[in-house]
Amino acid sequence: CLNFGTLMGADKKPGSIVHLGAGALSGITSCVLLQPFDLVKTRLQQTQMQTHARGIGTIANTVQSIVASSGVRGLWRGTLPSLIRNAPGTSLYFYFLNHTKHTCLAIERRLSNDTTRTRLSPTSNMIIGASSRAVAGFLLMPGTILKVQFESSLYKHAGIAGAVQNIWHTSGVRGFFVGAVPTAIRDAPYAGLYLLLYEAIKHQERTIAKQRNVLIPETAVTMVAGVAAGLAASYITQPFDMVKTRMQLRPREYTSVAQSFAKIYNEETIRGFFRGISLRVLRKGVQASLVFTLYEWVLRSTGSREESSPTKLRA
């Protein structure tokens, strides 16, 4: 089985439609399955942290409150705007990732004078991951605004159309891009770090498998790498996720990135930036693993990849 470097660099590479479709499928699946994590995280982050309410107890209380008021279905509130944002967002991310990868690979081949090169350098992996996520994230920012407001209990939108009209009448076009800066600062480093770690971990897994002459399913390789990379990248970028959420839900109180950082730190100390961290880290780790595993499985299933059954892995 091949790594991500060769995944999209083989002679018989999938077309753009396949990448868009694979991205959409993985985005929809992860969005529906993991929406409760996002909902609870948003509810925790929307208010200031109280000294008497932290940790697992707070999460449990939040879940109980949601179920008591809206039933179990309430945990999936905001799923539709999440789908509107995540399905095309994931598709665009993998689309840009594929095309940027080919550009970087062509440049590296010229610089190294090696036309047979199939693996990108760690630096290139970080660049293409960050740039692809930043572009896709900015284009889908209106969907992000809708998603966060529907998940929050601070807004009572009756539907998507009503939410769009309310944001437009209240803030105009700018209202659909509130928090774009902290979102980009969060997403670009996250995606860059994620792809860097993801490829490095996969390469290490394959190297160990080859040295020990063991057979490992490609799905297991991508899932382990996805979870590990997602956990690490999520924790590092958590403060920006908190700032983004506060700016998007309470724009009158949190007016800029610098002011938001200062306000959260002064009122809640450094711990305030990590409110909801366990939910985000768990969700991102599982989501990243699920998304990349499904994405690569779809590409292999198109017939353009080697069969996905367990084979001896090579570095």
Side-chain angles (χ1 to χ4, degrees):
C1 295
L2 305 178
N3 63 20
F4 184 79
T6 55
L7 176 64
M8 294 184 290
D11 291 335
K12 292 184 178 180
K13 55 180 180 292
S16 297
I17 297 300
V18 175
H19 288 282
L20 288 169
L25 175 62
S26 59
I28 291 171
T29 303
S30 64
C31 178
V32 173
L33 292 178
L34 302 175
Q35 177 61 21
F37 288 91
D38 243 5
L39 177 72
V40 177
K41 176 186 75 72
T42 299
R43 295 291 176 90
L44 289 174
Q45 290 184 338
Q46 72 182 16
T47 57
Q48 294 177 338
M49 182 171 68
Q50 304 298 320
T51 56
H52 63 276
R54 289 179 181 143
I56 299 300
T58 304
I59 295 174
N61 290 337
T62 302
V63 172
Q64 290 176 357
S65 176
I66 295 170
V67 173
S69 62
S70 307
V72 175
R73 291 181 59 184
L75 293 172
W76 272 266
R77 176 179 169 80
T79 299
L80 181 56
S82 291
L83 287 172
I84 292 174
R85 187 249 182 241
N86 287 335
T90 307
S91 293
L92 287 174
Y93 169 64
F94 281 115
Y95 176 81
F96 291 137
L97 197 68
N98 175 49
H99 285 272
T100 308
K101 179 265 173 187
H102 287 301
T103 300
C104 287
L105 186 58
I107 293 174
E108 288 194 359
R109 283 173 174 172
R110 292 193 187 96
L111 293 176
S112 64
N113 198 28
D114 181 7
T115 58
T116 63
R117 184 169 186 161
T118 58
R119 295 190 75 247
L120 285 170
S121 66
T123 301
S124 291
N125 276 325
M126 194 164 186
I127 291 174
I128 67 172
S131 60
S132 299
R133 182 63 177 267
V135 173
F138 180 78
L139 293 176
L140 273 299
M141 181 55 60
T144 301
I145 298 294
L146 290 172
K147 170 184 174 296
V148 171
Q149 291 194 3
F150 265 88
E151 290 172 350
S152 171
S153 61
L154 301 178
Y155 295 83
K156 301 297 181 183
H157 296 307
I160 299 296
V164 171
Q165 291 178 353
N166 183 58
I167 295 171
W168 175 263
H169 290 313
T170 302
S171 308
V173 175
R174 184 179 180 278
F176 293 100
F177 292 89
V178 173
V181 173
T183 299
I185 296 175
R186 178 201 67 174
D187 287 352
Y190 170 84
L193 286 169
Y194 175 83
L195 195 57
L196 172 67
L197 294 171
Y198 177 73
E199 289 303 323
I201 294 171
K202 283 205 306 181
H203 180 64
Q204 187 63 27
E205 288 181 85
R206 291 178 172 125
T207 299
I208 294 175
K210 181 179 179 181
Q211 291 174 345
R212 299 185 179 183
N213 195 32
V214 296
L215 304 178
I216 303 179
E218 180 66 7
T219 299
V221 173
T222 56
M223 289 192 71
V224 170
V227 169
L231 291 175
S234 295
Y235 206 93
I236 293 171
T237 58
Q238 169 64 18
F240 294 100
D241 184 66
M242 171 60 79
V243 171
K244 173 202 78 79
T245 301
R246 291 286 177 86
M247 288 183 68
Q248 291 175 342
L249 292 180
R250 297 157 67 182
R252 294 182 180 178
E253 297 178 52
Y254 298 86
T255 57
S256 70
V257 176
Q259 182 267 347
S260 298
F261 266 103
K263 182 175 175 62
I264 294 172
Y265 179 77
N266 292 333
E267 297 178 352
E268 304 171 57
T269 73
I270 193 69
R271 298 183 65 174
F273 292 105
F274 292 90
R275 186 166 173 78
I277 179 63
S278 57
L279 289 167
R280 179 171 183 257
V281 166
L282 180 60
R283 178 189 179 279
K284 280 291 187 181
V286 175
Q287 179 191 38
S289 173
L290 181 62
V291 165
F292 269 76
T293 298
L294 277 174
Y295 174 75
E296 296 195 9
W297 174 78
V298 170
L299 293 190
R300 289 195 298 271
S301 299
T302 61
S304 59
R305 305 298 311 139
E306 295 177 54
E307 60 274 9
S308 57
S309 58
T311 58
K312 186 183 294 185
L313 301 176
R314 59 184 177 84

